[in-house]
């Protein structure tokens, strides 16, 4: 079986085809990630060479769809990395202490996938007496329209790879916020009403507003250095004064963007906007 061969001269034309004809922006992602996903499809189709796979792709519409599905990674869960959510509880308590009871607390779940991250924020707010859930407004955004449809539907099915009840464990008494019907879990209206979903491209668009907390986790692992800098610029400009940012636990801020954010909980990747004079 082929090993990663990003320097193979047939790799680039294949990526160009995927970008220009299938409209998946390969140029924003890192080559190692693209190679892993493409090579997995090649193994499934028992093809060894990129140029051979390129030809197959041009002729086979089903394979085009399979590849597009393989390239978009939507893996997510409720309360992913529970220790981060305990720290976010403190952040939300802190934000609840600020401002008047009428001031909204605005939160952006950026690259939210099927909405479980945004709904986890809503449940956390309901679950804690020191957080005023009536003030909280959550915006969930993702580049993929289909995944946003799933997010709005707010129904999640347990499967062999996906134990929804276990994911909800960190909140305790989760039955207050999620109705269970056999293996289907539906998030209650009290939580879904707090969240609005919109399509948004983090690499190419300005932020959809300004926020007290921005949660943007597990996207940076797939994108290349240039896109990463573009996204951090966008996230930085989306934060209100003293606003908080959380990124994925294995992700890092590029050195050229670090001046904008000061660590609050470095290990858990929680930061705060530095005010302009400090930058
Ligand atoms: C692995 S999921 C992360 C979901 C969630 N934030 C979490 O940590 O569980 C990555 C998401 O990023 C989305 N995505 C990829 N490129 C994007 C872009 N340029 N703008 C916005 N979302 C993007 C994908 O559609 C996918 O839903």
């Amino acid at each position: 079986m082929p090993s990663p061969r990003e320097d193979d001269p047939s790799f680039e034309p294949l990526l160009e085809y995927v970008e220009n004809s299938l409209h998946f922006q390969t140029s924003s992602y890192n080559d190692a990630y693209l190679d892993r996903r493409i090579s997995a499809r090649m193994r499934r189709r028992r093809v060894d060479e990129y140029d051979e796979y390129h030809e197959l792709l041009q002729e086979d519409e089903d394979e085009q769809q399979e590849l597009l599905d393989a390239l978009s990674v939507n893996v997510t869960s409720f309360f992913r990395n529970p220790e981060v959510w305990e720290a976010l509880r403190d952040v939300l308590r802190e934000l609840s202490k600020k401002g008047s009871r009428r001031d909204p607390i605005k939160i952006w779940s950026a690259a939210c996938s099927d909405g479980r991250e945004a709904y986890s924020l809503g449940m956390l707010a309901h679950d804690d007496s020191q957080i005023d859930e009536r003030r909280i407004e959550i915006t969930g955004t993702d580049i993929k329209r289909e995944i946003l449809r799933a997010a709005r539907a707010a129904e999640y099915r347990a499967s062999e790879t996906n134990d929804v009840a276990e994911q909800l464990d960190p909140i305790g008494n989760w039955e207050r916020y999620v109705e269970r019907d056999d293996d289907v879990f539906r998030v209650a209206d009290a939580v879904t009403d707090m969240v609005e979903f919109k399509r948004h491209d983090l690499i190419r668009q300005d932020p959809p507003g300004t926020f007290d907390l921005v949660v943007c986790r597990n996207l940076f692992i797939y994108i290349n250095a240039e896109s990463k800098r573009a996204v951090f610029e966008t996230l930085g400009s989306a934060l209100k004064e003293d606003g908080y940012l959380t990124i994925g636990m294995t992700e890092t801020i590029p050195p050229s963007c670090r001046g904008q954010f000061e660590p609050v909980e470095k290990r858990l990747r929680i930061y705060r906007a530095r005010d302009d004079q400090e930058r």
Side-chain angles (χ1 to χ4, degrees):
M1 265 302 109
S3 58
R5 304 143 300 171
E6 296 139 36
D7 49 358
D8 182 321
S10 318
F11 188 57
E12 205 46 50
L14 172 59
L15 296 188
E16 278 169 22
Y17 172 76
V18 175
E19 173 131 5
N20 298 329
S21 301
L22 308 186
H23 309 293
F24 179 90
Q25 267 137 4
T26 52
S27 52
S28 300
Y29 292 80
N30 69 56
D31 281 354
Y33 165 71
L34 294 167
D35 185 42
R36 273 199 307 279
R37 297 279 143 181
I38 292 171
S39 295
R41 284 307 312 158
M42 288 166 63
R43 281 195 293 276
R44 286 295 287 269
R45 298 303 304 262
R46 301 184 187 283
V47 172
D48 283 343
E49 302 297 332
Y50 292 130
D51 50 2
E52 224 184 309
Y53 183 66
H54 190 157
E55 272 177 36
L56 187 154
L57 207 52
Q58 283 169 309
E59 289 159 9
D60 184 339
E61 283 184 16
D62 290 344
E63 183 57 29
Q64 293 172 3
Q65 197 49 54
E66 292 288 349
L67 178 63
L68 288 175
D69 288 346
L71 286 171
S72 20
V73 177
N74 300 113
V75 177
T76 189
S77 70
F78 288 107
F79 301 102
R80 187 172 186 174
N81 305 115
E83 52 188 326
V84 173
W85 290 88
E86 273 317 300
L88 286 177
R89 182 191 287 278
D90 291 337
V91 168
L92 292 182
R93 285 177 175 175
E94 192 59 42
L95 290 170
S96 291
K97 282 190 212 146
K98 287 198 335 188
S100 85
R101 276 192 293 154
R102 268 196 289 267
D103 289 340
I105 299 168
K106 299 182 101 180
I107 307 178
W108 181 17
S109 168
C112 66
S113 188
D114 67 13
R116 280 180 267 181
E117 183 178 84
Y119 292 138
S120 300
L121 287 158
M123 287 185 227
L124 187 61
H126 273 282
D127 189 57
D128 193 301
S129 59
Q130 294 178 51
I131 303 170
D132 187 351
E133 74 277 3
R134 291 161 306 180
R135 286 176 60 195
I136 292 193
E137 295 176 8
I138 303 165
T139 303
T141 64
D142 201 277
I143 196 169
K144 215 172 154 190
R145 288 184 205 284
E146 293 147 56
I147 207 82
L148 290 169
R149 274 198 284 278
R152 290 187 191 103
E155 274 189 7
Y156 304 93
R157 200 170 278 274
S159 69
E160 274 168 34
T161 52
N162 185 358
D163 184 338
V164 180
E166 200 172 288
Q167 291 173 21
L168 289 163
D169 238 16
I171 203 77
N173 256 334
W174 54 261
E175 290 86 352
R176 279 176 293 176
Y177 316 112
V178 181
E179 294 142 24
R180 180 175 191 170
D181 181 3
D182 202 7
D183 67 344
V184 178
F185 295 72
R186 184 165 202 296
V187 181
D189 292 352
V191 177
T192 57
D193 287 350
M194 300 167 76
V195 188
E196 182 189 19
F197 291 101
K198 291 182 189 162
R199 187 187 175 273
H200 179 266
D201 180 344
L202 272 161
I203 297 169
R204 288 177 178 73
Q205 287 181 271
D206 290 335
T210 52
F211 298 88
D212 300 285
L213 166 65
V214 175
V215 178
C216 183
R217 304 169 72 209
N218 304 302
L219 163 69
F220 300 108
I221 35 184
Y222 308 112
I223 60 180
N224 62 28
E226 196 188 328
S227 306
K228 211 169 153 177
R229 278 193 298 275
V231 175
F232 274 102
E233 285 297 322
T234 306
L235 299 178
S237 66
L239 287 179
K240 289 190 192 171
E241 200 184 327
D242 281 343
Y244 292 88
L245 169 71
T246 312
I247 61 174
M249 266 189 85
T250 57
E251 297 174 321
T252 52
I253 303 183
S256 62
C257 306
R258 282 189 198 148
Q260 292 184 67
F261 311 99
E262 64 176 317
V264 175
E265 284 276 2
K266 206 169 180 182
R267 192 178 66 83
L268 303 176
R269 307 293 196 268
I270 299 180
Y271 302 85
R272 202 165 196 174
R274 247 186 242 282
D275 72 46
D276 283 339
Q277 278 123 26
E278 291 176 67
R279 290 179 193 179

